[in-house]
Amino acid sequence: MASIVQDDEIRSGEPRVEGTRITVRDVKRRVIDAGEDPHVVAGEYEISMADLFGALAHYYEHRDAFESDDRETERRRRDGERRTRALVDELRGENSGSTEDAA
């Protein structure tokens, strides 16, 4: 069974199955979140069942940290959407103003 390792140069330092680019989060999202068959996921990722379950064990051992990171990522995503929406609204306002001026 491979270990779970981290390297800042690979997948932004996400915990992953040693010797692969498959992260614990990749496995968690497919098996836990999406309810996919672990055998299928392991086969598609070309990892052993032991490696897959090792990744899931790592997730459960560090669940609080993963969930906290997920919440922070979601908060940053919402903030980015809000800023983008404000920018688009501002640009639309400028464009509609210039259209009115041209009339």
Side-chain angles (χ1 to χ4, degrees):
M1 177 171 89
S3 299
I4 301 300
V5 297
Q6 289 180 265
D7 180 337
D8 289 339
E9 301 295 317
I10 301 172
R11 300 288 307 264
S12 300
E14 281 280 319
R16 62 184 173 79
V17 177
E18 185 177 26
T20 75
R21 295 181 55 80
I22 308 304
T23 67
V24 169
R25 197 176 307 272
D26 292 334
V27 173
K28 178 255 187 196
R29 284 180 176 156
R30 290 191 61 187
V31 175
I32 296 171
D33 297 345
E36 293 185 47
D37 184 309
H39 292 89
V40 171
V41 174
E44 289 179 4
Y45 283 152
E46 297 180 353
I47 61 175
S48 70
M49 290 300 294
D51 289 343
L52 182 132
F53 285 115
L56 291 176
H58 182 87
Y59 167 74
Y60 282 113
E61 288 169 4
H62 301 92
R63 186 176 185 171
D64 291 341
F66 278 96
E67 289 177 353
S68 176
D69 185 54
D70 287 345
R71 283 190 300 273
E72 178 60 20
T73 298
E74 179 61 21
R75 184 195 63 75
R76 287 193 315 261
R77 185 193 62 77
R78 283 192 314 269
D79 288 348
E81 285 179 354
R82 213 169 302 138
R83 288 191 307 273
T84 300
R85 203 172 310 117
L87 179 60
V88 167
D89 289 346
E90 180 181 320
L91 291 172
R92 283 184 179 152
E94 290 177 10
N95 289 340
S96 66
S98 62
T99 303
E100 291 173 9
D101 292 341

